[in-house]
Amino acid sequence: MIKVAVMGYGTIGSGVVEVLNINKSNIAKRAKDEVEVKYVLDLRDFPGDPMEKKIVHDYKTILEDPEVEIVVETMGGVEPAYTFVKAMLEAGKHVTTSNKALVAAKGAELIALAKEKNVNFMFEASVGGGIPIIRPLNSCLTADEIEEITGIVNGTTNYMMTKMAEQGAEFDDVLKDAQDMGYAEKDPTADIEGYDSCRKIAILTSLVCGQQVDYEDIHTEGITKITATDIRYAKAMNRKIKLLATSKKVEDGYVAMVAPFLLPPAHPLYNVNDVFNAIFVHGNVLGDAMFYGSGAGKLPTASAVVADIVDMAKHRNVNVAVEWSSKKMELVDYKKSENKFFVRANASKDEVEALFGNVTFVEAEGVENEVGFVTGVMKEADFEAKKEQLAEVLNVIRVTD
Ligand code: HSE
């Protein structure tokens, strides 16, 4: 019998308990032993819940019980999750987490600690929910130099972008809809400002380059400035607006960014709609690969956590190596990277051409008294400098092919 403790009995934590029950016999077969939840840590009590008698309020109950070999962390946030996880690893327990904030901030340190203690720290559920992406990067795509990872890694904002495109609705209306559907949090800041995607691309980039990428170094723009008028322009260009988290290998290192992009129908992420996530990976020998599926939600995320439990059960006495050192990776300044830009401005076409040269003007149905145009490929810094000279810029969205 493998005894497990779950820290945090919210959506994901209760999902983990549910998955362990739904697929009990298959999980036991794969883990080569039965898996039993011995404790559930939460501040609250859960009268009437099947786990009622297993609820504990002090993490030390788990820490000090040598029977507990595997700990699941589904509390979210950096503290107190970090203190609890660190203590569990130091006590020689394996830990799996779905917590991207914890992994992005403390991943390298916790991986090193797990190695020192000959246990495992796994975090498949921290990016892409139920989509396998951490294990593929760590174990399957190891023959490659990964040259690009670009993903839609936030379900809430993808749902919002999809609804805005389908209904021509305004941002505030689809945000309310996303909250009513239970996708967006009451405080949706982390999703709509791109912070959630930023942490996820920081984790993926750290795994790709094997060093610590600080999420604070990644240029991040959310979707809050996208309006129904932008959607009209997107339709006129036969494109969709998607919040992308992207990381590319360039001559001097890696450049990473989170921002809305206008995608053409041929782009691999164009048809990723609603709450789905997808991650496109390009390797120098592999070529292209796509990982697509349920990127958020109770059971899909719990499925990834339980897969970690099974993996750890199979490696009870072995540390599975993860290449992610605490050495800081200095990212290349995004201002040196090149993009095409769609711009809406209150300016004349002559003014635009005098500044940007040869551009493509876009006419959108029902939009008047402004000009919309797409620049050629140019350096971010050059674009910024020219944009400053336009009288009134209404919005800017990057364009990719
Ligand atoms: N808020 C996140 C999302 C949850 O919408 O994708 C999964 O990390």
Side-chain angles (χ1 to χ4, degrees):
M1 182 81 77
I2 303 166
K3 304 272 185 186
V4 171
V6 177
M7 301 196 296
Y9 201 44
T11 308
I12 312 302
S14 58
V16 169
V17 172
E18 208 175 316
V19 170
L20 285 169
N21 278 329
I22 296 171
N23 292 331
K24 198 175 174 62
S25 59
N26 260 336
I27 290 165
K29 236 185 274 167
R30 290 169 185 153
K32 306 268 182 281
D33 210 340
E34 248 184 70
V35 178
E36 190 197 271
V37 177
K38 185 166 183 186
Y39 302 111
V40 173
L41 177 77
D42 206 284
L43 291 171
R44 302 161 292 179
D45 287 309
F46 293 85
D49 188 278
M51 288 287 116
E52 181 180 3
K53 295 216 163 62
K54 301 194 175 185
I55 298 282
V56 293
H57 301 301
D58 185 352
Y59 81 105
K60 289 197 175 135
T61 310
I62 300 167
L63 188 67
E64 288 162 8
D65 185 339
E67 261 198 353
V68 175
E69 286 182 71
I70 298 177
V71 178
V72 172
E73 188 278 302
T74 47
M75 300 160 58
V78 177
E79 281 293 0
Y82 169 62
T83 303
F84 293 0
V85 166
K86 194 173 169 194
M88 298 299 167
L89 292 171
E90 270 166 350
K93 299 179 192 302
H94 303 273
V95 177
T96 165
T97 180
S98 59
N99 182 344
K100 60 244 158 184
L102 175 69
V103 179
K106 304 286 184 186
E109 180 191 329
L110 296 171
I111 286 164
L113 179 58
K115 188 175 178 196
E116 187 192 317
K117 297 290 172 183
N118 198 35
V119 290
N120 289 290
F121 175 65
M122 294 187 176
F123 45 93
E124 183 58 68
S126 65
V127 182
I131 307 171
I133 182 63
I134 304 293
R135 201 164 278 105
L137 285 178
N138 199 36
S139 322
C140 313
L141 302 176
T142 45
D144 272 72
E145 180 94 55
I146 304 297
E147 294 174 337
E148 177 180 349
I149 292 200
T150 297
I152 293 173
V153 288
N154 184 272
T156 304
T157 47
N158 202 39
Y159 175 82
M160 291 175 65
M161 287 291 92
T162 305
K163 292 299 155 208
M164 282 181 83
E166 281 173 1
Q167 300 165 357
E170 281 295 356
F171 182 86
D172 288 342
D173 297 329
V174 291
L175 175 57
K176 193 174 171 308
D177 179 33
Q179 282 169 323
D180 291 346
M181 297 288 287
Y183 297 141
E185 312 267 340
K186 232 176 171 180
D187 177 359
T189 314
D191 292 323
I192 61 179
E193 294 291 358
Y195 306 153
D196 177 82
S197 297
C198 172
R199 278 155 183 78
K200 289 168 175 168
I201 196 68
I203 294 170
L204 296 179
T205 312
S206 297
L207 284 171
V208 162
C209 66
Q211 288 179 219
Q212 174 65 24
V213 172
D214 290 334
Y215 64 84
E216 297 93 333
D217 295 346
I218 298 176
H219 177 74
T220 300
E221 296 172 23
I223 59 164
T224 50
K225 291 185 186 146
I226 305 294
T227 64
T229 307
D230 297 319
I231 301 291
R232 287 185 180 199
Y233 276 108
K235 285 213 161 88
M237 289 183 261
N238 191 27
R239 285 173 178 266
K240 281 186 191 167
I241 305 171
K242 298 283 183 191
L243 183 67
L244 299 187
T246 178
S247 176
K248 285 183 186 154
K249 195 168 190 299
V250 290
E251 212 177 311
D252 312 330
Y254 290 86
V255 63
M257 175 189 288
V258 174
F261 279 78
L262 278 151
L263 271 51
H267 194 283
L269 298 171
Y270 178 88
N271 281 316
V272 179
N273 291 320
D274 295 311
V275 283
F276 283 96
N277 281 196
I279 299 137
F280 164 83
V281 179
H282 181 86
N284 67 335
V285 286
L286 162 81
D288 297 343
M290 269 277 280
F291 299 83
Y292 170 83
S294 305
K298 181 175 176 167
L299 294 183
T301 310
S303 154
V305 174
V306 174
D308 279 352
I309 295 177
V310 172
D311 202 6
M312 293 192 290
K314 286 157 116 177
H315 296 97
R316 273 157 115 163
N317 301 307
V318 189
N319 171 260
V320 179
V322 181
E323 289 308 315
W324 178 350
S325 83
S326 54
K327 187 172 171 226
K328 182 176 163 79
M329 165 61 73
E330 296 291 350
L331 293 174
V332 174
D333 185 354
Y334 84 98
K335 288 198 174 146
K336 291 184 182 160
S337 63
E338 292 188 329
N339 276 304
K340 279 201 266 184
F341 301 84
F342 164 67
V343 185
R344 288 174 45 218
N346 275 330
S348 71
K349 288 187 175 178
D350 288 346
E351 250 180 280
V352 167
E353 280 177 329
L355 262 176
F356 290 92
N358 215 356
V359 299
T360 308
F361 289 102
V362 187
E363 304 291 337
E365 209 185 309
V367 182
E368 285 167 11
N369 302 325
E370 62 174 71
V371 65
F373 65 95
V374 178
T375 68
V377 175
M378 57 196 298
K379 273 215 164 67
E380 290 268 349
D382 295 342
F383 173 75
E384 275 299 315
K386 287 191 195 268
K387 190 188 88 171
E388 291 303 310
Q389 295 173 53
L390 271 179
E392 194 187 350
V393 175
L394 301 169
N395 207 359
V396 175
I397 306 171
R398 292 171 182 82
V399 177
T400 187
D401 290 325

